Amino acid sequence: MNSTQSTLMLLRGSGLSVKITAILLGFFLAALTAIGLTLFISWHLEGAAAAINDAGSLRMRMYRLAHHLARTDELGQIPSATFAVDLRQRVDEFENVLVNLRAGDPKRPLFLPRDDGIPEDVERLYEDWRKRLRPILEDVVNTPTPAMLHAKALDFDAQVAAAVATIDDIVLRMEHSYGRNTNILRASQVGLVVLAVIGTFVLLRFFFLTVIRPLYELQVGVKRMEKEDFDARVPVLANDEFGELSVGFNQMAAHLQDLYATLEERVDAKTRSLESRNRELRILYDIVGFLREPNDVDSLCRGFLERVQKTMGATAGSARLLDLESRNLCMIVHDGLADDFLDREEVLACGECACGEVVQGGRSLALDVREGSLDLTRDACARAGFQTVSATSITANKRPLGVFNLFFATPTSISEQDSQLLETLGQQLGIAIENQRLHARERELAVSEERNLLARELHDSIAQGLAFLNLQVQMLERALAEDKEQDVRNTVDMLRRGIQESYEDVRELLVHFRTRVEQQDLDAAIAAALRRLAEQTGVATDLEVQGDGAPLDPEAETQVLYIVQEALSNVRKHANASSVSVSLRRGRHGLSVTVRDDGVGFVEGQAVNDGGEAHIGLQIMRERALRIGGHFAVRSSPGRGTELRLQLPRTNNKVAA
């Protein structure tokens, strides 16, 4: 009983798959046992039927033996040997049947019933056969004479009646045993039918309780959910898979009911969140758009402060930049602050007050002035009547540049979201300030580089001409002192020519640096330079333009024009050429410029190492080409002219100034 209860408890606590498997396995074992029992009984019934047949045949064989012995009148007609052989065969057959009946034969099958004392009676019959009946027959077989046959026949007949009665009793009891076993077989078959009916009912009941009913409850719950009845719940009928599914359905229904009940609140919360995000985006777009406009640092900070102050509803605001040398925060723009406040707060040391702490920490900080610590706030804010102060660092690439402050006359709570917005705005302002500084430095470097080039050209032309004139003046003074009239005339003539050359150099430099290339007008500017060269020197000029393409960067085209002008100036001063040609080739890969003359030329290595005026001009052209990312090359030899080639790719990496 305890094991049965344990099994039931195990099934109740197990999963649905375990229950179904256990139920089906139980019914399978029960059916298998019943079928095996039926087959076993049928097999034994078949063996019992064979035993009844053999036992019945013993009675017939006994009568045949008695009848055979009674044939004494035929002994004279039948040879005694034949009579003995026939009798021996009948005796052996009877004994074989009796031995098989006594021992049984599972192969046939042949089984002797084990109830009602049948095996004992068969054993007694066998002993009686061996001790009383068979010896009589053996004597007849051994001495088959009429006298012996007659005597033994009488003796055998006296024993046959008792033996046949015993056989009849055994057969009757075997038939009764066979009938009982047949009834058991029928009862087992009826039991199988009953088991099938009960099993079917149990299985139907089981599947109804464990599968059909839970599915029905779930189906009803789903239909109620389809009609937006979120109060629908499913009963948990068992602790199995359907029970877990029912629990999950109830949890889902409760969650949906909660969501439906708080849907409007959630929509309002999401709407407020989206409005807040949209507000942040509008602020960022507005301020970032302003910071991209070309302004100086003060204008950037002033416009930035006005917009942030208006957005946050601050009473006043200020922006301070960090002086890297003194490590002081200097106020550059402000709004809404009194003069006495400005006098005290115009310069702050880095690390002093909340502003200095923010610069060192690189974060945003909001303080209640009334509750703030004296280590983080100054009494100036309290005296000015401010209740809340916000300080946000201005950074660029995680490097502090300054801090901007917002002052509130009333207690104001700045949320974490607004603090992050202020930090982002501080980073954008820092990037804009850093970009302005970089642009200013770039312009300064460009001016400085152009001045260096101008100084070189002045040194190559005007300075050398003045040195020559100074030398001629000294020679003139010596000639006047020695009263050498011819030397004076020669020196004056040299002075006049030197002054004329210096004047032409000055004019060329003025034209050179006043010339600017208008957009898509590089060809016209080079043509004008060639035209001036032809007018000044009479040299034949030619301009060849091939290909088409988008214009280059204005600075690049200006530098190309300066390189061509420098090349033409070298032709005028040093080449002694009769013709010069300029070739421009444009394409999708960039611009190629070639300047050729038929002048005296030079030895390339010697020109570079001489330190003369011509090689300095070549060096200037190389520097200009390098500045715009181009490649400059010179080919020349004495008496064969000079060729200058500039290759400028459309996409190039300019050398940093």
Side-chain angles (χ1 to χ4, degrees):
M1 185 65 181
N2 292 331
S3 61
T4 305
Q5 291 179 350
S6 301
T7 305
L8 292 175
M9 292 178 63
L10 178 63
L11 289 176
R12 288 171 186 163
S14 302
L16 181 60
S17 58
V18 176
K19 292 179 181 179
I20 294 176
T21 303
I23 291 292
L24 294 179
L25 184 60
F27 277 102
F28 172 75
L29 292 176
L32 186 63
T33 302
I35 293 172
L37 180 61
T38 303
L39 292 176
F40 180 77
I41 294 174
S42 299
W43 186 46
H44 274 272
L45 286 176
E46 184 178 356
I52 292 172
N53 290 333
D54 284 1
S57 69
L58 288 176
R59 182 173 50 192
M60 178 190 68
R61 293 177 186 277
M62 184 67 72
Y63 282 129
R64 285 184 177 180
L65 287 172
H67 177 70
H68 191 66
L69 290 176
R71 295 169 60 189
T72 56
D73 54 345
E74 297 179 0
L75 186 59
Q77 301 176 3
I78 301 174
S80 58
T82 303
F83 180 84
V85 170
D86 185 36
L87 181 61
R88 167 66 66 183
Q89 182 179 359
R90 293 176 184 273
V91 169
D92 291 339
E93 288 178 357
F94 182 89
E95 186 167 354
N96 289 335
V97 172
L98 181 60
V99 170
N100 288 336
L101 180 64
R102 174 173 170 265
D105 187 5
K107 297 179 180 180
R108 292 181 52 180
L110 176 72
F111 297 108
L112 191 66
R114 297 298 176 182
D115 53 352
D116 292 341
I118 296 175
E120 292 79 4
D121 290 342
V122 171
E123 188 67 26
R124 284 193 294 271
L125 176 64
Y126 178 74
E127 292 296 331
D128 186 59
W129 164 260
R130 297 286 294 177
K131 292 179 179 180
R132 291 189 304 108
L133 296 177
R134 180 167 178 165
I136 296 173
L137 298 176
E138 289 289 343
D139 292 340
V140 174
V141 171
N142 294 329
T143 311
T145 61
M148 177 64 70
L149 180 61
H150 181 73
K152 294 297 181 182
L154 294 176
D155 191 13
F156 187 79
D157 287 339
Q159 302 291 335
V160 167
V164 171
T166 301
I167 293 173
D168 288 340
D169 182 59
I170 291 173
V171 171
L172 180 61
R173 279 183 287 166
M174 290 176 65
E175 289 176 348
H176 288 167
S177 175
Y178 183 84
R180 286 194 299 271
N181 289 332
T182 303
N183 292 332
I184 293 174
L185 177 61
R186 291 172 181 172
S188 64
Q189 291 174 343
V190 172
L192 280 177
V193 174
V194 173
L195 179 63
V197 173
I198 295 175
T200 303
F201 175 78
V202 171
L203 288 177
L204 289 176
R205 179 68 176 173
F206 172 76
F207 280 104
F208 175 79
L209 294 177
T210 59
V211 179
I212 299 174
R213 184 179 175 188
L215 281 177
Y216 174 76
E217 295 291 346
L218 286 172
Q219 185 180 15
V220 172
V222 170
K223 289 182 178 179
R224 291 179 62 185
M225 293 289 289
E226 290 178 353
K227 298 178 181 178
E228 298 184 358
D229 182 7
F230 298 110
D231 293 328
R233 296 295 184 272
V234 175
V236 181
L237 301 176
N239 187 21
D240 54 15
E241 287 83 349
F242 279 106
E244 295 177 0
L245 188 60
S246 299
V247 172
F249 179 87
N250 293 336
Q251 292 176 351
M252 178 193 68
H255 183 64
L256 289 176
Q257 187 177 23
D258 180 64
L259 287 177
Y260 188 78
T262 60
L263 182 60
E264 294 183 359
E265 296 179 3
R266 293 174 182 270
V267 171
D268 291 339
K270 291 295 183 181
T271 302
R272 288 192 298 270
S273 177
L274 288 175
E275 289 177 352
S276 176
R277 293 295 182 185
N278 290 334
R279 168 179 168 270
E280 292 180 10
L281 290 176
R282 286 194 300 270
I283 295 171
L284 285 173
Y285 287 151
D286 179 37
I287 294 179
V288 171
F290 166 74
L291 293 177
R292 290 181 177 178
E293 296 177 0
N295 288 308
D296 55 28
V297 174
D298 289 357
S299 299
L300 283 175
C301 292
R302 184 175 294 105
F304 172 84
L305 188 62
E306 290 176 357
R307 287 166 171 78
V308 175
Q309 185 177 338
K310 180 180 178 182
T311 299
M312 303 301 296
T315 306
S318 66
R320 308 169 190 266
L321 293 183
L322 179 63
D323 185 356
L324 297 178
E325 295 183 0
S326 64
R327 301 299 295 176
N328 289 331
L329 291 169
C330 303
M331 187 180 298
I332 58 172
V333 294
H334 58 83
D335 181 42
L337 298 176
D339 292 337
D340 57 344
F341 182 89
L342 296 175
D343 293 338
R344 290 192 298 270
E345 297 288 320
E346 183 176 3
V347 178
L348 290 177
C350 188
E352 183 182 4
C353 188
C355 302
E357 292 289 336
V358 167
V359 170
Q360 290 183 341
R363 64 186 189 279
S364 178
L365 182 64
L367 293 175
D368 190 341
V369 177
R370 298 170 300 174
E371 300 177 359
S373 170
L374 293 178
D375 295 335
L376 294 178
T377 60
R378 292 164 64 106
D379 57 353
C381 295
R383 291 179 183 179
F386 299 124
Q387 302 291 325
T388 304
V389 178
S390 170
T392 305
S393 62
I394 302 173
T395 60
N397 298 324
K398 298 183 179 180
R399 185 167 55 89
L401 300 181
V403 62
F404 71 91
N405 299 96
L406 298 177
F407 303 92
F408 300 88
T410 59
T412 304
S413 176
I414 299 178
S415 64
E416 182 67 23
Q417 192 172 358
D418 286 340
S419 297
Q420 293 178 0
L421 175 61
L422 291 175
E423 291 179 5
T424 302
L425 294 176
Q427 294 172 4
Q428 295 298 323
L429 177 59
I431 293 173
I433 292 174
E434 190 69 13
N435 287 338
Q436 288 294 332
R437 291 177 176 177
L438 291 176
H439 289 326
R441 291 173 186 171
E442 185 179 2
R443 289 192 296 269
E444 291 175 1
L445 290 174
V447 171
S448 175
E449 185 175 355
E450 196 62 34
R451 286 178 177 176
N452 289 334
L453 293 175
L454 177 60
R456 286 190 178 187
E457 295 196 13
L458 289 174
H459 175 271
D460 294 344
S461 57
I462 304 301
Q464 292 182 4
L466 292 177
F468 172 77
L469 292 176
N470 184 34
L471 180 61
Q472 295 300 319
V473 168
Q474 293 177 8
M475 294 177 62
L476 178 61
E477 290 177 348
R478 188 180 300 112
L480 290 174
E482 296 176 357
D483 196 16
K484 295 180 179 179
E485 183 178 355
Q486 185 61 37
D487 290 344
V488 170
R489 290 193 184 96
N490 293 336
T491 303
V492 170
D493 183 59
M494 293 292 291
L495 286 171
R496 184 171 53 252
R497 284 188 292 173
I499 293 172
Q500 182 63 32
E501 288 181 2
S502 296
Y503 174 71
E504 291 176 354
D505 287 340
V506 170
R507 287 189 61 188
E508 183 176 359
L509 287 175
L510 291 176
V511 172
H512 181 85
F513 287 103
R514 285 176 180 174
T515 304
R516 291 293 181 268
V517 181
E518 300 295 335
Q519 189 172 5
Q520 298 182 347
D521 201 25
L522 178 62
D523 301 351
I526 294 177
L530 288 173
R531 189 166 52 252
R532 286 194 300 271
L533 177 65
E535 292 174 354
Q536 293 174 359
T537 63
V539 175
T541 61
D542 178 62
L543 175 62
E544 180 184 6
V545 179
Q546 297 180 357
D548 196 5
L552 299 174
D553 181 79
E555 179 186 356
E557 293 198 348
T558 299
Q559 295 299 329
V560 170
L561 176 61
Y562 287 169
I563 292 172
V564 173
Q565 288 177 339
E566 185 68 31
L568 297 180
S569 176
N570 284 345
V571 170
R572 180 181 64 81
K573 294 178 182 179
H574 311 292
N576 194 20
S578 60
S579 64
V580 61
S581 64
V582 178
S583 174
L584 275 78
R585 290 182 174 84
R586 289 188 177 89
R588 62 187 181 89
H589 297 295
L591 175 66
S592 173
V593 181
T594 305
V595 180
R596 298 187 184 91
D597 67 71
D598 58 354
V600 295
F602 58 88
V603 179
E604 295 181 26
Q606 182 179 353
V608 172
N609 296 323
D610 284 348
E613 180 182 349
H615 110 272
I616 294 178
L618 293 176
Q619 183 63 28
I620 291 174
M621 285 186 276
R622 284 193 178 92
E623 291 180 2
R624 290 188 182 278
L626 182 62
R627 181 176 177 181
I628 58 177
H631 176 70
F632 181 79
V634 180
R635 289 196 306 174
S636 181
S637 60
R640 295 188 178 183
T642 303
E643 178 182 286
L644 307 180
R645 183 179 294 274
L646 172 66
Q647 296 285 347
L648 185 64
R650 180 163 298 281
T651 302
N652 58 73
N653 298 319
K654 297 183 180 180
V655 178

